[in-house]
Structure formats: C-alpha cells, structure tokens
Amino acid sequence: MHQLQIEKIQTDAEKTVLQVTQALKDELGKEKDQYFAKVEELRQENKALAQELANAKAGAVKKPLEKKQT
C-alpha cells in the first residue's frame, strides 16, 4: 500500500512540475512577445525620427543655397 501512495505522490509531483513549467513558458512567451513588440515600436519611431532629421538637414541645406541665389 505504501508503494502505491509513493507512486501517486511522485505522479502528482511530476504533473505539478509540468504544470509549473508550462505556466513559466507561457509567461515568458508573453514577455518575449511584448519585448519584440516594443523593439518593433522603437524601430518604427527611430525610422520616423531619422526621416525627420534628414528632412531638417535637407531644409537647412536648401535655405542657405536659396539665399545665395537671390
């Protein structure tokens, strides 16, 4: 009888470990997805800022050239 109880406890413990492991994987997966979403958001923001900077530089170059021509 004791051997059956020990086996049941072991089985229950193994199930619990698997459940906890899966829960951790799920949580880490969510965090990973949030991380990559944030990385993509920052990349898009960086592209927009780079474009704004390029436009500002182009505008700054054009203004002195326009003054010289007039």
Side-chain angles (χ1 to χ4, degrees):
M1 184 69 175
H2 291 291
Q3 184 62 31
L4 289 175
Q5 288 175 334
I6 292 171
E7 288 175 8
K8 183 182 182 326
I9 291 170
Q10 287 175 334
T11 301
D12 290 347
E14 289 170 2
K15 286 180 184 177
T16 301
V17 168
L18 290 173
Q19 289 172 344
V20 169
T21 301
Q22 188 59 49
L24 288 171
K25 284 181 181 178
D26 292 346
E27 193 60 35
L28 287 173
K30 289 177 190 174
E31 288 181 19
K32 185 177 88 174
D33 291 345
Q34 291 172 349
Y35 169 80
F36 283 115
K38 184 64 175 179
V39 167
E40 185 56 33
E41 177 186 329
L42 292 172
R43 281 186 181 144
Q44 294 302 321
E45 185 178 333
N46 191 37
K47 280 184 186 178
L49 290 172
Q51 186 61 49
E52 284 181 37
L53 180 59
N55 292 343
K57 284 182 178 179
V61 169
K62 285 181 183 176
K63 288 179 182 175
L65 291 176
E66 289 170 0
K67 289 180 182 177
K68 289 180 182 177
Q69 291 175 355
T70 55

